[in-house]
Structure formats: structure tokens, C-alpha cells
Amino acid sequence: MPANVPQLDVQFLRDQFPVFQHPDYGAWAYMENAGGSHVPRQVADALSRALTLTKVQPYYPYGPSRDMGEAMDRATAFTAEMLNVPEGARVVFGPSTTLNMYMIAEGLRPSLKPGDEIIVTNQEHEANGGAWRRLADEVEGVRLKEWRVDGKTGRLSLDDLRALLTDKTRLLAFTHCSNVVGEMNDARAATALAHEAGGRVVIDGVAYAPHRVPDFAAIGADAYCYSAYKTFAVHQGVMAVRDDWLEGLENQGHFFNGAYPGMKLVPAGPQHGEIAAMNGLQAFYGDLYTHHFGAAPQGKANEWAGAVHDMIHAHEVVIAAPLLAFLREEPRIRLIGPQEIAFGNRAPTISFTVKGVSAGDVTNHLAAAKIGAGTGHFYAWRLMEALGIKPEDGVVRVSLVAYNTEDEVARAIAAIKAAL
Ligand SMILES: Cc1ncc(COP(=O)(O)O)c(C=O)c1O
């Protein structure tokens, strides 16, 4: 764990979320956060401002239009700084990660040639699998190679990746953290290996970004995508992409927009208010920083928002540990992914099956204890098959995030015991 991480004041953090003030909705413990997290008031306020005051076409030379454009520019600059997107790369917002991946894949299509190899994992949410598999199916001579998980644990190994890479590798697509297995994969090492082989790298950071701030420059990928609605903001996809790769991708937008790199992969108009709402995320992280560090944030957002997330992740480690300990010690339970949590090895996204009890039964018990959790394949269909779990049955997923508490986790353990 990084040095000098203050303890998260969970109550202060929860006070930022209107839902926890509500007599009914506030009584629930939310443990399906890998599906989507709640939104703090700062984000709701930023969206509300955009929708109620400046909802005009941006970038025209009159006041409200200028304000809207300026809010979008600020939000984009903050997001790029938070993700440590260097010179020569940019942040682009699209409707969702699934669509962003699809657009990158379509952009890549014309440059693929027979003999090219694309490597995908079977740990993926289908968003970062289907688009690449389809390319390999449809472009003659392109070969798909699968970087496979261990069928027992669901984990990926870099040695297996090494064995797949060749000088024909055009692309490696993998997840920074599976939304089921929960392990934080070594994105930097996998990227370096693919680059050594001469391939480009696309990473799905959707299940990682709610827990730690991704560092695009340090990872070194060509594109990194995640979904802001899982990271306390609104429903849209964020992608960081290197310009030298973007340049070679085919324009997916209107022909006259092809000259603008930021528009090439976003055929629809940008979601103005949703982009501007990222300013609310800056305010939320800023308030957390000031409360815990005793001064307003200064310097690069990747560092100060990163410090806020270190504090959040340290809290996640503390609250997830007892749940993991209970699950791994219970003989009827199969716990997927890393069995223990330490700072930076896994997200508190915890999936399991129970011998003799359906996943749905377990979530019913959790719901009876006023705990919201999910069950299913979570669009990681191929992973379910690799683990020998019928996708229709799926797993129970208890997915914790910053605002969950030790008491809530104790309630969840009691409810799972009752289900057994
Ligand atoms: C790991 C992961 N990748 C990709 C996606 C797809 O994101 P979006 O809903 O923005 O298309 C999800 C959504 O749940 C996900 O969990």
C-alpha cells in the first residue's frame, strides 16, 4: 500500500450521496456496484446544471453556448489529467464501452490483412471480446487466438500470453480486471509484451476504474476504455487513445468529420450534459481530498485523485477481507478468483457459487436482508463456460465499492449463511 494513506471517513463519503439520505432507498446496502454505482450530489448537480441552464448546442459565440462548450472542455481536460493521458493521446467520450470498442474494431477493419493475428482472452465481458472475435471471423485470413483463463480459478497467466504472441500479432485485447474474477491483471506487463511483439493493445478498464485510478501513460496501452456510470458518474463510455493509432483507424463518423481525430470514433453527437457531469466527479474527488488531506487538491489530477482512490481502495480491502475469508472457508462455496485481498491485487468484486443452492436463492436471501446483489453471467459468457459454470445459472456477485461499510458486509455474510 502507498505510504501515508489516511483512513477513509466513510460517513463523510456516504453523506455526499443523496441516496443514503432517502428513507427507503437509503436503507439498502448496495452490493451490485460492478453493475453501476450511485452518483454523488456533485455529479448530479453538474448534470442538472447542464440540463437546466446550458442545454444548448455548445461552441457557438454566445454566452450559454460558450458556457456549455467550456464545461465540456474542462471535463475532458480533467478526465485526461486524471487518467494521466500524455501528449500524443486523447480522451474521447462515447455512449458506452461496448460501443467504443465496436467503433475501434470497425476503424481497424480495413487495415487488417491475411495472416494478422488478434489475441483476446476468455475472461472478458463480451464488450471487449465480441467486437474483436467478429473482426477475425469476417476479415479473410485473420486468425483469432485465445488467451485462456485457468479453468479452476478463472485467472490469466502472462506465460500463456507469451506463448501466443508472434510477429503477426496485430492486436491484444484484455481486461484490466474481470467483472467476475475480480483480479487486477498486470496491464503494464501484458501491454509491454504485446508491444515487443509489434502489436497494439486495447484494455477494458470498466471493472478496474471504480476502485483505482488507471494510469494510461504508465500502462502504455494504445486504447483504454471504461464506463463512467460505474465510477460515480453518468452513463457514458470514456476512452483514452493514442493519436498515432487513431490516425490509422478508418473514420466512423460523417465524411467531413474525419479530419477531427476526436470525432472519428464517435459517429453520433457527443452527450453534452453527460460529458459536463465529469466536472462533478472532479468536485466530488476534490471534496474528499480536502476533507481527508486538510487542504484543497493541487497539482496533477492523476496524483491527487489517485490519492483519494488509494484511500478508497484501502477501505475496500478492509471491508472485503471478512467476506472473502468466510467464502473461502465454507466448503460448499466455490469462490472465483483470488481468495484473498491485498492492496492492488483484486477488486472487491466477489463472485461465487454454492453447492446445492442456486445463485438466485442466495440473492433472494440477500434481498430479504435489504442487500442488493446480482446473479448471472454478467456478459462474461465465455468465462462461465471456461469455469464449467452454466451461463444460465451464473454466479452470485457481491460487488463492493467505496460507500459500503463493515456492518453491511457482516449483514451480507449472515444472509449468505442463512441461504446455506
Ligand atoms: C468489465 C466490463 N466491460 C465492459 C462493460 C460494458 O460497458 P458498457 O455498459 O459501458 O457498454 C461492462 C458492463 O457491465 C463491464 O462490466
Side-chain angles (χ1 to χ4, degrees):
M1 184 158 82
N4 306 326
V5 177
Q7 187 170 352
L8 180 71
D9 179 349
V10 196
Q11 192 52 52
F12 177 81
L13 183 140
R14 286 171 69 87
D15 288 346
Q16 311 308 308
F17 288 80
V19 66
F20 299 122
Q21 274 43 258
H22 191 274
D24 300 328
Y25 292 113
W28 285 86
Y30 292 91
M31 300 195 182
E32 221 300 279
N33 300 299
S37 59
H38 279 293
V39 163
R41 65 181 166 78
Q42 293 88 339
V43 170
D45 288 352
L47 181 63
S48 169
R49 185 183 157 79
L51 294 182
T52 55
L53 298 179
T54 58
K55 198 172 177 307
V56 295
Q57 192 70 4
Y59 302 114
Y60 288 130
Y62 66 96
S65 174
R66 249 196 214 128
D67 288 352
M68 184 77 242
E70 188 269 332
M72 290 168 66
D73 288 349
R74 242 185 323 120
T76 308
F78 164 69
T79 308
E81 196 181 294
M82 177 177 73
L83 300 176
N84 200 17
V85 175
E87 286 272 308
R90 67 186 60 234
V91 158
V92 180
F93 294 98
S96 73
T97 293
T98 306
L99 213 54
N100 285 345
M101 293 293 190
Y102 188 78
M103 287 297 105
I104 299 174
E106 287 308 301
L108 188 64
R109 181 188 287 268
S111 66
L112 289 173
K113 45 186 194 325
D116 284 349
E117 297 177 351
I118 296 179
I119 303 177
V120 297
T121 87
N122 60 352
Q123 200 188 47
E124 303 301 305
H125 181 289
E126 194 63 13
N128 191 30
W132 315 117
R133 288 170 190 270
R134 188 173 148 167
L135 271 188
D137 267 359
E138 293 177 357
V139 182
E140 213 175 317
V142 173
R143 179 168 173 214
L144 185 95
K145 288 172 144 183
E146 209 173 47
W147 179 13
R148 295 206 175 117
V149 295
D150 176 305
K152 258 202 185 123
T153 62
R155 300 169 78 173
L156 290 167
S157 119
L158 285 174
D159 285 339
D160 292 342
L161 172 61
R162 272 190 201 95
L164 295 171
L165 290 161
T166 70
D167 59 0
K168 298 199 176 76
T169 304
R170 279 293 302 279
L171 182 81
L172 166 67
F174 69 95
T175 180
H176 200 171
C177 177
S178 144
N179 61 336
V180 170
V181 177
E183 182 159 32
M184 293 177 174
N185 294 318
D186 190 342
R188 208 168 170 162
T191 300
L193 287 174
H195 280 170
E196 269 168 40
R200 296 282 190 171
V201 176
V202 175
I203 300 180
D204 175 347
V206 174
Y208 179 91
H211 309 289
R212 302 202 68 196
V213 173
D215 188 325
F216 181 71
I219 294 168
D222 297 282
Y224 188 101
C225 300
Y226 75 96
S227 308
Y229 68 96
K230 322 261 191 187
T231 64
F232 318 117
V234 298
H235 215 120
Q236 68 184 340
V238 181
M239 73 181 133
V241 56
R242 284 172 58 127
D243 288 341
D244 65 353
W245 196 37
L246 193 53
E247 270 159 25
L249 300 179
E250 187 187 54
N251 175 32
Q252 300 301 306
H254 301 307
F255 71 91
F256 43 81
N257 283 336
Y260 304 99
M263 298 175 94
K264 283 177 84 171
L265 298 179
V266 191
Q271 305 176 114
H272 305 150
E274 283 74 3
I275 293 173
M278 294 301 277
N279 292 318
L281 194 65
Q282 178 174 17
F284 168 61
Y285 286 152
D287 288 347
L288 283 175
Y289 186 95
T290 306
H291 180 76
H292 290 89
F293 291 86
Q298 278 186 341
K300 266 195 91 174
N302 186 257
E303 281 161 23
W304 66 258
V308 167
H309 256 285
D310 284 349
M311 197 170 67
I312 286 176
H313 186 53
H315 165 73
E316 292 173 340
V317 169
V318 170
I319 61 172
L323 177 59
L324 285 166
F326 161 68
L327 295 172
R328 72 173 172 260
E329 277 152 29
E330 172 54 53
R332 286 170 64 195
I333 289 180
R334 177 182 178 194
L335 170 62
I336 316 288
Q339 305 284 297
E340 297 191 20
I341 188 163
F343 192 93
N345 79 320
R346 68 136 54 236
T349 306
I350 298 168
S351 304
F352 59 95
T353 56
V354 185
K355 208 174 197 173
V357 184
S358 74
D361 257 8
V362 178
T363 42
N364 285 341
H365 273 84
L366 287 163
K370 278 213 146 326
I371 296 167
T375 170
H377 54 75
F378 299 105
Y379 286 23
W381 185 282
R382 297 170 204 275
L383 172 67
M384 294 294 138
E385 290 179 333
L387 291 169
I389 297 168
K390 281 197 197 130
E392 316 72 275
D393 296 344
V395 294
V396 183
R397 184 174 72 179
V398 173
S399 155
L400 308 174
V401 82
Y403 45 66
N404 290 119
T405 66
E406 285 178 278
D407 284 354
E408 289 178 341
V409 171
R411 258 165 64 199
I413 294 172
I416 300 167
K417 275 186 185 157
L420 293 174

